Amino acid sequence: MENIGKILVVDDEADILEFISYNLKKEGYEVYTAPNGKEALPIAKKIKPDLILLDVMMPVMDGIETCKRIKADTDFDQTYVVFLTARSEDYSEIEGLDAGADDYIAKPIKPKVLVTRLNAILRRKIKEMAAPSIKVKDLLIDRESFLIYRGDQKIQLARKEFELLFLLASKPGKVFTRENILEKVWGDEVLVVDRTIDVHIRKIREKLGDEYIGTVKGVGYKFEI
Amino acid sequence: MENIGKILVVDDEADILEFISYNLKKEGYEVYTAPNGKEALPIAKKIKPDLILLDVMMPVMDGIETCKRIKADTDFDQTYVVFLTARSEDYSEIEGLDAGADDYIAKPIKPKVLVTRLNAILRRKIKEMAAPSIKVKDLLIDRESFLIYRGDQKIQLARKEFELLFLLASKPGKVFTRENILEKVWGDEVLVVDRTIDVHIRKIREKLGDEYIGTVKGVGYKFEI
DNA sequence: CCTTATTGTTATCTAATTGTTAATCGGTTT
DNA sequence: AAACCGATTAACAATTAGATAACAATAAGG
């Protein structure tokens, strides 16, 4: 699996650290760990993680304090912070929000929930940072206006169609498997059947012509160079 | 987080300085500090802050005096000054007004209040500095008179309708999400439901015709080029 | 204080988008 | 040539988002 992001996990219990770490690595994340807030900060400074997963209750420096320091540091403008909170400590939700956390995950942690939530958060992040427009062949695919320009012709695609084309066009020539596409365009919360993608591909071809999207039988689709 | 403005905070108490600084940075402001009026002036000269947050009671050079000097300097035409005043020192309100302050915040400071007030002030500032009128298609959208001119026809929009149209027209073609619109037109203190935007869009379309504002389903609205 | 205009909410209707299914096609394999 | 495979395509169904109208709350002006 490709490299999809760096995550720093901070928790004082070695078991939990390993459990989370294992599950995230399996997912393809680059995982770093720290046993408390104090040690976490310099590590974070160095590796610039995309996301920091922070236990609220820790010795030395707790999650709230760590989060505050992270959010106060402009180096971490691009870093998401997610709290791990025991369900009983729901007071932390208030404090945590105040400290600037971006999301919460309640303990006990289920691997599926963990991975799903983090995927969702990081996908959002990637989208926000994505280039607003792509130029390929004679097309300009423009996120600002959600239009495809071909010469002075404007072509309007439906939202999903647009996202799908945008994905393929973001790496012309690369074959995206249906699994890929599903994950990136639909997100893993949603469950749709494979054929749905084919149908959307067809709609795009109808609107743009057949010359842009190629089929690689048994593998997936790609934007033709 | 985007860069939304530069703020210079001037106070002789290091604790307060840090407290304010932290809360404003969290909000995305670029924050500078100074311990008194005398030191504040050269810093202000250099960084040209959008807003100066000024404690009234300070050694070396107090807030009133500092404010007078700032307001006397044409370099700071564009700079807002907000006083921090202890509730008991209400006399300062008179003096402060006299010195040309734009607003007051009473100590003890609550982070929410601080941030909300400054956001409001700076939003107002941004609006005031924005181009007073926009020409798009056959429309002249004029802030001075809050009127829309089409040829020699004058069209009157309600305030919110005007602001909304003005926003969309400020970047013709760009799609604004409802979230975008809410933030820019309503501001984050107010909470209104998404449909409200739709209704305002409809009102604008009623008054101007359907050809100006386009809908991008699942995304938002845009001013049609 | 009353009236009116503005602003905001809600429920219903409509149309576009999105998703499913199944028949069909074209190429490959046996 | 028959069976097989995955992709294409058309037709249809489900879902969702937005338009709209009618109404309620709030603010502004006389």
PDB file of all heavy atoms in Angstrom, chain A residues 150-179:
ATOM      1  N   ARG A 150     -12.723  22.887 -22.093  1.00  0.00           N
ATOM      2  CA  ARG A 150     -12.001  22.361 -23.252  1.00  0.00           C
ATOM      3  C   ARG A 150     -12.041  23.482 -24.269  1.00  0.00           C
ATOM      4  O   ARG A 150     -13.093  23.757 -24.851  1.00  0.00           O
ATOM      5  CB  ARG A 150     -12.655  21.097 -23.793  1.00  0.00           C
ATOM      6  CG  ARG A 150     -11.955  20.582 -25.040  1.00  0.00           C
ATOM      7  CD  ARG A 150     -12.317  19.148 -25.335  1.00  0.00           C
ATOM      8  NE  ARG A 150     -13.774  18.966 -25.357  1.00  0.00           N
ATOM      9  CZ  ARG A 150     -14.370  17.761 -25.356  1.00  0.00           C
ATOM     10  NH1 ARG A 150     -13.633  16.679 -25.311  1.00  0.00           N
ATOM     11  NH2 ARG A 150     -15.669  17.682 -25.374  1.00  0.00           N
ATOM     12  N   GLY A 151     -10.892  24.123 -24.467  1.00  0.00           N
ATOM     13  CA  GLY A 151     -10.888  25.330 -25.272  1.00  0.00           C
ATOM     14  C   GLY A 151     -11.806  26.331 -24.582  1.00  0.00           C
ATOM     15  O   GLY A 151     -11.674  26.561 -23.386  1.00  0.00           O
ATOM     16  N   ASP A 152     -12.726  26.880 -25.328  1.00  0.00           N
ATOM     17  CA  ASP A 152     -13.638  27.819 -24.687  1.00  0.00           C
ATOM     18  C   ASP A 152     -14.980  27.167 -24.360  1.00  0.00           C
ATOM     19  O   ASP A 152     -15.931  27.829 -23.990  1.00  0.00           O
ATOM     20  CB  ASP A 152     -13.836  29.070 -25.556  1.00  0.00           C
ATOM     21  CG  ASP A 152     -14.223  28.703 -26.988  1.00  0.00           C
ATOM     22  OD1 ASP A 152     -14.336  27.491 -27.262  1.00  0.00           O
ATOM     23  OD2 ASP A 152     -14.390  29.620 -27.807  1.00  0.00           O
ATOM     24  N   GLN A 153     -14.987  25.839 -24.503  1.00  0.00           N
ATOM     25  CA  GLN A 153     -16.204  25.093 -24.179  1.00  0.00           C
ATOM     26  C   GLN A 153     -16.198  24.728 -22.695  1.00  0.00           C
ATOM     27  O   GLN A 153     -15.182  24.296 -22.151  1.00  0.00           O
ATOM     28  CB  GLN A 153     -16.223  23.821 -25.043  1.00  0.00           C
ATOM     29  CG  GLN A 153     -17.406  22.919 -24.817  1.00  0.00           C
ATOM     30  CD  GLN A 153     -17.173  21.533 -25.416  1.00  0.00           C
ATOM     31  OE1 GLN A 153     -16.032  21.167 -25.740  1.00  0.00           O
ATOM     32  NE2 GLN A 153     -18.230  20.769 -25.552  1.00  0.00           N
ATOM     33  N   LYS A 154     -17.327  24.948 -22.042  1.00  0.00           N
ATOM     34  CA  LYS A 154     -17.427  24.565 -20.633  1.00  0.00           C
ATOM     35  C   LYS A 154     -18.281  23.316 -20.526  1.00  0.00           C
ATOM     36  O   LYS A 154     -19.373  23.261 -21.070  1.00  0.00           O
ATOM     37  CB  LYS A 154     -18.107  25.667 -19.821  1.00  0.00           C
ATOM     38  CG  LYS A 154     -17.273  26.908 -19.628  1.00  0.00           C
ATOM     39  CD  LYS A 154     -17.977  27.822 -18.642  1.00  0.00           C
ATOM     40  CE  LYS A 154     -18.123  29.219 -19.183  1.00  0.00           C
ATOM     41  NZ  LYS A 154     -18.934  30.082 -18.329  1.00  0.00           N
ATOM     42  N   ILE A 155     -17.785  22.330 -19.804  1.00  0.00           N
ATOM     43  CA  ILE A 155     -18.551  21.106 -19.632  1.00  0.00           C
ATOM     44  C   ILE A 155     -18.843  20.901 -18.157  1.00  0.00           C
ATOM     45  O   ILE A 155     -17.953  21.002 -17.313  1.00  0.00           O
ATOM     46  CB  ILE A 155     -17.772  19.898 -20.188  1.00  0.00           C
ATOM     47  CG1 ILE A 155     -17.453  20.131 -21.660  1.00  0.00           C
ATOM     48  CG2 ILE A 155     -18.570  18.622 -20.003  1.00  0.00           C
ATOM     49  CD1 ILE A 155     -16.319  19.302 -22.167  1.00  0.00           C
ATOM     50  N   GLN A 156     -20.111  20.632 -17.887  1.00  0.00           N
ATOM     51  CA  GLN A 156     -20.545  20.502 -16.500  1.00  0.00           C
ATOM     52  C   GLN A 156     -20.686  19.032 -16.145  1.00  0.00           C
ATOM     53  O   GLN A 156     -21.396  18.290 -16.821  1.00  0.00           O
ATOM     54  CB  GLN A 156     -21.892  21.212 -16.354  1.00  0.00           C
ATOM     55  CG  GLN A 156     -22.536  21.041 -15.029  1.00  0.00           C
ATOM     56  CD  GLN A 156     -22.389  22.287 -14.174  1.00  0.00           C
ATOM     57  OE1 GLN A 156     -21.795  23.278 -14.593  1.00  0.00           O
ATOM     58  NE2 GLN A 156     -22.919  22.247 -12.984  1.00  0.00           N
ATOM     59  N   LEU A 157     -20.001  18.601 -15.118  1.00  0.00           N
ATOM     60  CA  LEU A 157     -20.159  17.230 -14.632  1.00  0.00           C
ATOM     61  C   LEU A 157     -20.875  17.254 -13.288  1.00  0.00           C
ATOM     62  O   LEU A 157     -20.793  18.234 -12.559  1.00  0.00           O
ATOM     63  CB  LEU A 157     -18.799  16.563 -14.445  1.00  0.00           C
ATOM     64  CG  LEU A 157     -17.910  16.362 -15.667  1.00  0.00           C
ATOM     65  CD1 LEU A 157     -16.727  15.477 -15.302  1.00  0.00           C
ATOM     66  CD2 LEU A 157     -18.674  15.740 -16.813  1.00  0.00           C
ATOM     67  N   ALA A 158     -21.555  16.143 -12.985  1.00  0.00           N
ATOM     68  CA  ALA A 158     -22.150  16.021 -11.655  1.00  0.00           C
ATOM     69  C   ALA A 158     -21.005  15.837 -10.667  1.00  0.00           C
ATOM     70  O   ALA A 158     -19.881  15.528 -11.041  1.00  0.00           O
ATOM     71  CB  ALA A 158     -23.097  14.845 -11.594  1.00  0.00           C
ATOM     72  N   ARG A 159     -21.327  16.047  -9.417  1.00  0.00           N
ATOM     73  CA  ARG A 159     -20.303  16.058  -8.382  1.00  0.00           C
ATOM     74  C   ARG A 159     -19.439  14.801  -8.373  1.00  0.00           C
ATOM     75  O   ARG A 159     -18.225  14.875  -8.424  1.00  0.00           O
ATOM     76  CB  ARG A 159     -20.999  16.209  -7.043  1.00  0.00           C
ATOM     77  CG  ARG A 159     -20.146  15.947  -5.867  1.00  0.00           C
ATOM     78  CD  ARG A 159     -19.968  17.180  -5.044  1.00  0.00           C
ATOM     79  NE  ARG A 159     -19.060  16.943  -3.958  1.00  0.00           N
ATOM     80  CZ  ARG A 159     -19.446  16.778  -2.707  1.00  0.00           C
ATOM     81  NH1 ARG A 159     -20.719  16.811  -2.415  1.00  0.00           N
ATOM     82  NH2 ARG A 159     -18.564  16.594  -1.753  1.00  0.00           N
ATOM     83  N   LYS A 160     -20.052  13.646  -8.295  1.00  0.00           N
ATOM     84  CA  LYS A 160     -19.290  12.399  -8.212  1.00  0.00           C
ATOM     85  C   LYS A 160     -18.477  12.190  -9.471  1.00  0.00           C
ATOM     86  O   LYS A 160     -17.355  11.712  -9.432  1.00  0.00           O
ATOM     87  CB  LYS A 160     -20.238  11.205  -7.995  1.00  0.00           C
ATOM     88  CG  LYS A 160     -20.647  11.009  -6.561  1.00  0.00           C
ATOM     89  CD  LYS A 160     -19.689  10.108  -5.782  1.00  0.00           C
ATOM     90  CE  LYS A 160     -19.591  10.471  -4.310  1.00  0.00           C
ATOM     91  NZ  LYS A 160     -20.807  10.216  -3.560  1.00  0.00           N
ATOM     92  N   GLU A 161     -19.077  12.512 -10.597  1.00  0.00           N
ATOM     93  CA  GLU A 161     -18.368  12.397 -11.861  1.00  0.00           C
ATOM     94  C   GLU A 161     -17.119  13.273 -11.838  1.00  0.00           C
ATOM     95  O   GLU A 161     -16.034  12.848 -12.228  1.00  0.00           O
ATOM     96  CB  GLU A 161     -19.278  12.827 -13.026  1.00  0.00           C
ATOM     97  CG  GLU A 161     -20.423  11.883 -13.311  1.00  0.00           C
ATOM     98  CD  GLU A 161     -21.553  12.544 -14.092  1.00  0.00           C
ATOM     99  OE1 GLU A 161     -21.320  13.562 -14.763  1.00  0.00           O
ATOM    100  OE2 GLU A 161     -22.686  12.027 -14.016  1.00  0.00           O
ATOM    101  N   PHE A 162     -17.303  14.478 -11.335  1.00  0.00           N
ATOM    102  CA  PHE A 162     -16.182  15.415 -11.266  1.00  0.00           C
ATOM    103  C   PHE A 162     -15.073  14.860 -10.386  1.00  0.00           C
ATOM    104  O   PHE A 162     -13.905  14.836 -10.760  1.00  0.00           O
ATOM    105  CB  PHE A 162     -16.657  16.758 -10.735  1.00  0.00           C
ATOM    106  CG  PHE A 162     -15.593  17.812 -10.741  1.00  0.00           C
ATOM    107  CD1 PHE A 162     -15.449  18.658 -11.822  1.00  0.00           C
ATOM    108  CD2 PHE A 162     -14.717  17.940  -9.670  1.00  0.00           C
ATOM    109  CE1 PHE A 162     -14.457  19.615 -11.845  1.00  0.00           C
ATOM    110  CE2 PHE A 162     -13.715  18.896  -9.682  1.00  0.00           C
ATOM    111  CZ  PHE A 162     -13.589  19.734 -10.770  1.00  0.00           C
ATOM    112  N   GLU A 163     -15.445  14.403  -9.212  1.00  0.00           N
ATOM    113  CA  GLU A 163     -14.450  13.890  -8.267  1.00  0.00           C
ATOM    114  C   GLU A 163     -13.697  12.715  -8.863  1.00  0.00           C
ATOM    115  O   GLU A 163     -12.491  12.572  -8.690  1.00  0.00           O
ATOM    116  CB  GLU A 163     -15.122  13.456  -6.958  1.00  0.00           C
ATOM    117  CG  GLU A 163     -15.813  14.567  -6.186  1.00  0.00           C
ATOM    118  CD  GLU A 163     -14.838  15.522  -5.498  1.00  0.00           C
ATOM    119  OE1 GLU A 163     -13.617  15.334  -5.632  1.00  0.00           O
ATOM    120  OE2 GLU A 163     -15.327  16.467  -4.855  1.00  0.00           O
ATOM    121  N   LEU A 164     -14.434  11.887  -9.568  1.00  0.00           N
ATOM    122  CA  LEU A 164     -13.838  10.706 -10.167  1.00  0.00           C
ATOM    123  C   LEU A 164     -12.843  11.101 -11.253  1.00  0.00           C
ATOM    124  O   LEU A 164     -11.699  10.634 -11.277  1.00  0.00           O
ATOM    125  CB  LEU A 164     -14.957   9.827 -10.732  1.00  0.00           C
ATOM    126  CG  LEU A 164     -14.616   8.542 -11.460  1.00  0.00           C
ATOM    127  CD1 LEU A 164     -13.539   7.754 -10.761  1.00  0.00           C
ATOM    128  CD2 LEU A 164     -15.863   7.685 -11.604  1.00  0.00           C
ATOM    129  N   LEU A 165     -13.261  11.993 -12.115  1.00  0.00           N
ATOM    130  CA  LEU A 165     -12.365  12.460 -13.169  1.00  0.00           C
ATOM    131  C   LEU A 165     -11.159  13.157 -12.568  1.00  0.00           C
ATOM    132  O   LEU A 165     -10.019  12.950 -13.004  1.00  0.00           O
ATOM    133  CB  LEU A 165     -13.101  13.423 -14.110  1.00  0.00           C
ATOM    134  CG  LEU A 165     -12.242  13.985 -15.242  1.00  0.00           C
ATOM    135  CD1 LEU A 165     -11.862  12.888 -16.218  1.00  0.00           C
ATOM    136  CD2 LEU A 165     -12.953  15.119 -15.969  1.00  0.00           C
ATOM    137  N   PHE A 166     -11.407  13.953 -11.554  1.00  0.00           N
ATOM    138  CA  PHE A 166     -10.336  14.694 -10.899  1.00  0.00           C
ATOM    139  C   PHE A 166      -9.291  13.720 -10.345  1.00  0.00           C
ATOM    140  O   PHE A 166      -8.085  13.931 -10.485  1.00  0.00           O
ATOM    141  CB  PHE A 166     -10.916  15.538  -9.766  1.00  0.00           C
ATOM    142  CG  PHE A 166      -9.999  16.631  -9.290  1.00  0.00           C
ATOM    143  CD1 PHE A 166     -10.008  17.866  -9.904  1.00  0.00           C
ATOM    144  CD2 PHE A 166      -9.135  16.420  -8.229  1.00  0.00           C
ATOM    145  CE1 PHE A 166      -9.169  18.883  -9.471  1.00  0.00           C
ATOM    146  CE2 PHE A 166      -8.289  17.432  -7.794  1.00  0.00           C
ATOM    147  CZ  PHE A 166      -8.305  18.658  -8.409  1.00  0.00           C
ATOM    148  N   LEU A 167      -9.780  12.660  -9.753  1.00  0.00           N
ATOM    149  CA  LEU A 167      -8.867  11.652  -9.206  1.00  0.00           C
ATOM    150  C   LEU A 167      -8.005  11.039 -10.304  1.00  0.00           C
ATOM    151  O   LEU A 167      -6.780  11.017 -10.208  1.00  0.00           O
ATOM    152  CB  LEU A 167      -9.667  10.561  -8.491  1.00  0.00           C
ATOM    153  CG  LEU A 167      -8.841   9.361  -8.009  1.00  0.00           C
ATOM    154  CD1 LEU A 167      -7.879   9.773  -6.903  1.00  0.00           C
ATOM    155  CD2 LEU A 167      -9.738   8.237  -7.531  1.00  0.00           C
ATOM    156  N   LEU A 168      -8.653  10.560 -11.349  1.00  0.00           N
ATOM    157  CA  LEU A 168      -7.910   9.908 -12.432  1.00  0.00           C
ATOM    158  C   LEU A 168      -6.918  10.886 -13.053  1.00  0.00           C
ATOM    159  O   LEU A 168      -5.770  10.537 -13.325  1.00  0.00           O
ATOM    160  CB  LEU A 168      -8.871   9.393 -13.502  1.00  0.00           C
ATOM    161  CG  LEU A 168      -9.858   8.304 -13.071  1.00  0.00           C
ATOM    162  CD1 LEU A 168     -10.709   7.865 -14.248  1.00  0.00           C
ATOM    163  CD2 LEU A 168      -9.137   7.100 -12.471  1.00  0.00           C
ATOM    164  N   ALA A 169      -7.368  12.119 -13.235  1.00  0.00           N
ATOM    165  CA  ALA A 169      -6.536  13.114 -13.915  1.00  0.00           C
ATOM    166  C   ALA A 169      -5.402  13.607 -13.029  1.00  0.00           C
ATOM    167  O   ALA A 169      -4.439  14.188 -13.519  1.00  0.00           O
ATOM    168  CB  ALA A 169      -7.394  14.285 -14.370  1.00  0.00           C
ATOM    169  N   SER A 170      -5.519  13.348 -11.721  1.00  0.00           N
ATOM    170  CA  SER A 170      -4.461  13.807 -10.827  1.00  0.00           C
ATOM    171  C   SER A 170      -3.180  13.014 -11.048  1.00  0.00           C
ATOM    172  O   SER A 170      -2.100  13.443 -10.671  1.00  0.00           O
ATOM    173  CB  SER A 170      -4.908  13.676  -9.369  1.00  0.00           C
ATOM    174  OG  SER A 170      -5.023  12.310  -9.010  1.00  0.00           O
ATOM    175  N   LYS A 171      -3.305  11.850 -11.663  1.00  0.00           N
ATOM    176  CA  LYS A 171      -2.119  11.062 -12.014  1.00  0.00           C
ATOM    177  C   LYS A 171      -2.351  10.407 -13.356  1.00  0.00           C
ATOM    178  O   LYS A 171      -2.617   9.195 -13.435  1.00  0.00           O
ATOM    179  CB  LYS A 171      -1.860   9.999 -10.947  1.00  0.00           C
ATOM    180  CG  LYS A 171      -0.960  10.472  -9.837  1.00  0.00           C
ATOM    181  CD  LYS A 171      -0.225   9.279  -9.212  1.00  0.00           C
ATOM    182  CE  LYS A 171       1.034   9.729  -8.499  1.00  0.00           C
ATOM    183  NZ  LYS A 171       2.101   8.691  -8.562  1.00  0.00           N
ATOM    184  N   PRO A 172      -2.231  11.182 -14.415  1.00  0.00           N
ATOM    185  CA  PRO A 172      -2.527  10.642 -15.740  1.00  0.00           C
ATOM    186  C   PRO A 172      -1.641   9.439 -16.025  1.00  0.00           C
ATOM    187  O   PRO A 172      -0.468   9.436 -15.683  1.00  0.00           O
ATOM    188  CB  PRO A 172      -2.182  11.804 -16.685  1.00  0.00           C
ATOM    189  CG  PRO A 172      -2.216  13.006 -15.834  1.00  0.00           C
ATOM    190  CD  PRO A 172      -1.780  12.568 -14.472  1.00  0.00           C
ATOM    191  N   GLY A 173      -2.238   8.423 -16.593  1.00  0.00           N
ATOM    192  CA  GLY A 173      -1.483   7.223 -16.941  1.00  0.00           C
ATOM    193  C   GLY A 173      -1.528   6.161 -15.861  1.00  0.00           C
ATOM    194  O   GLY A 173      -1.464   4.975 -16.147  1.00  0.00           O
ATOM    195  N   LYS A 174      -1.663   6.587 -14.620  1.00  0.00           N
ATOM    196  CA  LYS A 174      -1.722   5.609 -13.529  1.00  0.00           C
ATOM    197  C   LYS A 174      -3.074   4.909 -13.524  1.00  0.00           C
ATOM    198  O   LYS A 174      -4.117   5.547 -13.638  1.00  0.00           O
ATOM    199  CB  LYS A 174      -1.509   6.305 -12.186  1.00  0.00           C
ATOM    200  CG  LYS A 174      -1.688   5.366 -10.990  1.00  0.00           C
ATOM    201  CD  LYS A 174      -1.596   6.136  -9.682  1.00  0.00           C
ATOM    202  CE  LYS A 174      -2.302   5.430  -8.545  1.00  0.00           C
ATOM    203  NZ  LYS A 174      -1.550   4.305  -7.969  1.00  0.00           N
ATOM    204  N   VAL A 175      -3.010   3.597 -13.370  1.00  0.00           N
ATOM    205  CA  VAL A 175      -4.258   2.840 -13.286  1.00  0.00           C
ATOM    206  C   VAL A 175      -4.762   2.833 -11.857  1.00  0.00           C
ATOM    207  O   VAL A 175      -4.033   2.500 -10.934  1.00  0.00           O
ATOM    208  CB  VAL A 175      -4.051   1.377 -13.745  1.00  0.00           C
ATOM    209  CG1 VAL A 175      -5.363   0.623 -13.660  1.00  0.00           C
ATOM    210  CG2 VAL A 175      -3.501   1.337 -15.151  1.00  0.00           C
ATOM    211  N   PHE A 176      -6.013   3.226 -11.691  1.00  0.00           N
ATOM    212  CA  PHE A 176      -6.644   3.165 -10.381  1.00  0.00           C
ATOM    213  C   PHE A 176      -7.562   1.947 -10.346  1.00  0.00           C
ATOM    214  O   PHE A 176      -8.402   1.777 -11.221  1.00  0.00           O
ATOM    215  CB  PHE A 176      -7.473   4.416 -10.118  1.00  0.00           C
ATOM    216  CG  PHE A 176      -6.648   5.655  -9.926  1.00  0.00           C
ATOM    217  CD1 PHE A 176      -6.123   6.338 -11.010  1.00  0.00           C
ATOM    218  CD2 PHE A 176      -6.388   6.135  -8.642  1.00  0.00           C
ATOM    219  CE1 PHE A 176      -5.355   7.487 -10.822  1.00  0.00           C
ATOM    220  CE2 PHE A 176      -5.618   7.278  -8.455  1.00  0.00           C
ATOM    221  CZ  PHE A 176      -5.097   7.953  -9.548  1.00  0.00           C
ATOM    222  N   THR A 177      -7.396   1.114  -9.338  1.00  0.00           N
ATOM    223  CA  THR A 177      -8.301  -0.023  -9.191  1.00  0.00           C
ATOM    224  C   THR A 177      -9.636   0.487  -8.682  1.00  0.00           C
ATOM    225  O   THR A 177      -9.725   1.590  -8.158  1.00  0.00           O
ATOM    226  CB  THR A 177      -7.763  -1.031  -8.159  1.00  0.00           C
ATOM    227  OG1 THR A 177      -7.749  -0.393  -6.868  1.00  0.00           O
ATOM    228  CG2 THR A 177      -6.367  -1.466  -8.505  1.00  0.00           C
ATOM    229  N   ARG A 178     -10.642  -0.329  -8.818  1.00  0.00           N
ATOM    230  CA  ARG A 178     -11.947   0.074  -8.310  1.00  0.00           C
ATOM    231  C   ARG A 178     -11.883   0.317  -6.808  1.00  0.00           C
ATOM    232  O   ARG A 178     -12.535   1.212  -6.288  1.00  0.00           O
ATOM    233  CB  ARG A 178     -12.984  -1.002  -8.639  1.00  0.00           C
ATOM    234  CG  ARG A 178     -13.312  -1.065 -10.113  1.00  0.00           C
ATOM    235  CD  ARG A 178     -14.496  -1.961 -10.387  1.00  0.00           C
ATOM    236  NE  ARG A 178     -14.916  -1.846 -11.772  1.00  0.00           N
ATOM    237  CZ  ARG A 178     -14.203  -2.281 -12.792  1.00  0.00           C
ATOM    238  NH1 ARG A 178     -13.037  -2.854 -12.588  1.00  0.00           N
ATOM    239  NH2 ARG A 178     -14.652  -2.133 -14.027  1.00  0.00           N
ATOM    240  N   GLU A 179     -11.074  -0.487  -6.160  1.00  0.00           N
ATOM    241  CA  GLU A 179     -10.901  -0.338  -4.717  1.00  0.00           C
ATOM    242  C   GLU A 179     -10.351   1.060  -4.423  1.00  0.00           C
ATOM    243  O   GLU A 179     -10.900   1.806  -3.605  1.00  0.00           O
ATOM    244  CB  GLU A 179      -9.914  -1.409  -4.232  1.00  0.00           C
ATOM    245  CG  GLU A 179     -10.093  -1.824  -2.779  1.00  0.00           C
ATOM    246  CD  GLU A 179      -8.988  -2.787  -2.367  1.00  0.00           C
ATOM    247  OE1 GLU A 179      -8.320  -3.357  -3.272  1.00  0.00           O
ATOM    248  OE2 GLU A 179      -8.766  -2.951  -1.167  1.00  0.00           O
TER     249      GLU A 179
END
